[in-house]
Amino acid sequence: MSSRPTSPRLLIVDDEHGIRKLCGDVLRRSGYLVEALGDGEAALRRLSAAQAEGAPFDLVISDVRMKPMDGLAFISAVRALDDDVRVMLITGYPTLETAVEGMKQGARNYLTKPFTPIELRDAVKEALAGWTAPLSGSALEAAAEDEVERFGGLVARSASMKALFAQLRRIARAQATVLITGESGTGKELVARAVWQHSPRRDRLFAPVNCSALVDSLMESELFGHLKGAFTGANQQKAGLFQYADGGTLFLDEIGDLSLALQPKLLRVLQEGEIKPVGGVRGVKVDVRVIAATHRDLEAHVQAGAFREDLFYRLNVFRVEVPPLRARRDDIEPLADAFLHDLRERIGRPGVHLTPRALAALQGYAWPGNVRQLRNVLLRAATLAPEDAITPEDLWLDGAEGAPPPTGDYPFEDLTLEDVERRHILHVLRRCQGNRSHAARILGINRTTLWKKLSRYGLEDA
Ligand SMILES: Nc1ncnc2c1ncn2[C@@H]1O[C@H](COP(=O)(O)OP(=O)(O)OP(=O)(O)O)[C@@H](O)[C@H]1O
Ligand SMILES: [Mg+2]
């Protein structure tokens, strides 16, 4: 085994000399090891030679329209040769068909000509996301490694999330459909919103729809509208979400739960840009960007026949995979900071903070519920911790390293009755999102009494 190079190896394949030169220069300056060739056949020979030498390429960047061997034929040959190498396509003619075909051949992403050096670098970074060889000493080791980055409502420090942000920036500018996957609580909805916020459609509607929340018959009319008399109870003609969102963005959450009956109808909109209201015969043109998300394994659903393959490919033009929190522990500290920052004011404990041991416990925990669970754990700890300094014990993380399982200890041991009351009221108010009537009901007191207690504890604004 020869040792791995310290930077990723890239092979650029394009029949235009200018593109080869431009990409080569930009990417070499970024610290990659770059070779460039003018046709597919030569590139295939080079790839297999590199493999034989034990120094395989990590990424192939290929033009789509090339002669004599065209890009799609080339990448399918690349696949046959090397299962591990990543592939990125450059195209001057972005059609959905090429995108879908390229994806089937295993291309991970696209760059549309003309592009800027920044776009090229972002796309390469994204294509190489998760690349594991050591990068030390190379120009790639970003000086900004420790910096916290924000994108829309998302906060991150990990390399994988930063690569994801770069991907999102490029996706946002495009029009094509986006499919966001990832475990529950990883931030898929925030990702969808961030894409919209950075898209040319940011001034138009963002309409979230939960596909698992509605019954089939209603869902269809909800999405596509209906004509008067289309079904019992349809007394009025009604526009669907696709019409409301015309010019805007529709977020189809839990797309994996969309019924087989509705799938072809959605496919039709994506293909033709046209909807058919329930009870109608004529199509209505709509211009809607669709962003879909699911925590399910859609590929497995396709295999099992529960999700149409053609719809899958239509949705999957851009694929965003949000990694689970345990795979990006670098994000835990900035996330905890951001959540505590918001909480301090809301719960009226300006001094509340994590002890180093509590932070270590958070970083060592497995987070089956991902970022959402982290936020909830902090909310509970910040509200209930007897001291402003949150200890590992205050986190009540079961089975976490560094945090003993709850011993059944009573957490209010050293508190006065007033402290407990104050904290309990705050806790309940938070759970009720500040709704005083609801909180009073849970606390078993009337609203006047609650109001008096709030003013006594200085919590009028809580
Ligand atoms: N990177 C992040 N930065 C800040 N907050 C985040 C981040 N990721 C997730 N969150 C917060 O975590 C919570 C869960 O996120 P979100 O609702 O987007 O998850 P989801 O993937 O859609 O989950 P589900 O599959 O259960 O619907 C939200 O309160 C969101 O604001
Ligand atoms: Mg969600």
Side-chain angles (χ1 to χ4, degrees), residues 153-156 161 165 182-191 251 253-254 294-295 328 331 335 338-339 371-372 375:
L154 297 155
V155 176
M161 285 302 278
F165 290 176
E183 289 178 16
S184 190
T186 45
K188 295 185 293 297
E189 176 151 7
L190 273 192
V191 166
F251 174 48
D253 204 359
E254 309 298 353
T294 180
H295 65 278
R328 46 179 168 109
D331 290 341
L335 282 170
F339 292 144
V371 184
R372 177 180 298 117
R375 211 191 55 169

Side-chain angles (χ1 to χ4, degrees), residues 288-299:
V288 173
R289 182 175 197 191
V290 169
I291 302 179
T294 180
H295 65 278
R296 295 188 193 282
D297 181 350
L298 264 198
E299 276 94 345

Side-chain angles (χ1 to χ4, degrees), residues 169-245:
R169 266 190 280 275
R170 293 191 322 114
I171 287 178
R173 269 180 269 135
Q175 291 298 329
T177 316
V178 186
L179 177 63
I180 306 167
T181 51
E183 289 178 16
S184 190
T186 45
K188 295 185 293 297
E189 176 151 7
L190 273 192
V191 166
R193 286 180 187 277
V195 167
W196 163 67
Q197 283 161 4
H198 286 79
S199 77
R201 293 171 181 247
R202 72 182 71 97
D203 297 327
R204 311 298 291 273
L205 195 66
F206 175 87
V209 194
N210 189 329
C211 298
S212 66
L214 280 171
V215 254
D216 233 30
S217 53
L218 286 181
M219 182 89 186
E220 182 173 358
S221 111
E222 200 72 26
L223 286 176
F224 310 119
H226 62 245
L227 298 186
K228 185 173 173 181
F231 47 85
T232 328
N235 303 324
Q236 295 289 330
Q237 179 169 341
K238 182 173 161 284
L241 278 162
F242 270 97
Q243 281 147 296
Y244 279 121

Side-chain angles (χ1 to χ4, degrees), residues 251-273:
F251 174 48
L252 298 178
D253 204 359
E254 309 298 353
I255 190 80
D257 298 342
L258 191 71
S259 73
L260 273 168
L262 280 175
Q263 289 176 21
K265 295 176 178 160
L266 177 60
L267 181 65
R268 183 192 148 89
V269 191
L270 297 178
Q271 269 170 343
E272 335 252 325

Side-chain angles (χ1 to χ4, degrees), residues 340 343 347 349 352 377-385 390 394:
L340 279 178
L343 280 170
I347 64 170
R349 290 187 76 174
V352 77
V377 161
L378 286 171
L379 173 60
R380 185 181 57 197
T383 313
L384 298 178
I390 298 175
D394 298 327

Side-chain angles (χ1 to χ4, degrees), residues 36-229:
L37 289 168
D39 74 272
E41 311 232 345
L44 287 172
R45 283 196 298 275
R46 180 67 193 105
L47 284 167
S48 54
Q51 248 184 346
E53 290 158 14
F57 283 90
D58 300 292
L59 175 65
V60 174
I61 303 173
S62 171
D63 191 18
V64 174
R65 298 223 174 164
M66 297 191 293
K67 281 194 175 127
M69 189 181 211
D70 98 297
L72 292 177
F74 167 62
I75 63 170
S76 98
V78 169
R79 262 294 145 257
L81 190 72
D82 181 348
D83 237 6
D84 294 329
V85 68
R86 301 172 182 207
V87 175
M88 179 175 121
L89 288 174
I90 298 183
T91 168
Y93 313 87
T95 64
L96 193 58
E97 279 57 44
T98 355
V100 168
E101 197 41 49
M103 204 99 54
K104 284 186 181 161
Q105 305 289 355
R108 304 248 300 207
N109 45 20
Y110 285 84
L111 191 60
T112 317
K113 283 188 255 186
F115 49 84
T116 65
I118 294 175
E119 286 169 329
L120 173 65
R121 271 198 296 267
D122 279 353
V124 167
K125 230 195 266 173
E126 172 195 334
L128 287 168
W131 191 80
T132 46
L135 298 178
S136 57
S138 83
L140 276 181
E141 200 169 31
E145 204 158 77
D146 284 345
E147 255 167 49
V148 175
E149 229 181 276
R150 288 170 185 272
F151 186 71
L154 297 155
V155 176
R157 181 189 282 155
S158 64
S160 56
M161 285 302 278
K162 286 180 182 171
L164 192 114
F165 290 176
Q167 180 191 18
L168 295 178
R169 266 190 280 275
R170 293 191 322 114
I171 287 178
R173 269 180 269 135
Q175 291 298 329
T177 316
V178 186
L179 177 63
I180 306 167
T181 51
E183 289 178 16
S184 190
T186 45
K188 295 185 293 297
E189 176 151 7
L190 273 192
V191 166
R193 286 180 187 277
V195 167
W196 163 67
Q197 283 161 4
H198 286 79
S199 77
R201 293 171 181 247
R202 72 182 71 97
D203 297 327
R204 311 298 291 273
L205 195 66
F206 175 87
V209 194
N210 189 329
C211 298
S212 66
L214 280 171
V215 254
D216 233 30
S217 53
L218 286 181
M219 182 89 186
E220 182 173 358
S221 111
E222 200 72 26
L223 286 176
F224 310 119
H226 62 245
L227 298 186
K228 185 173 173 181

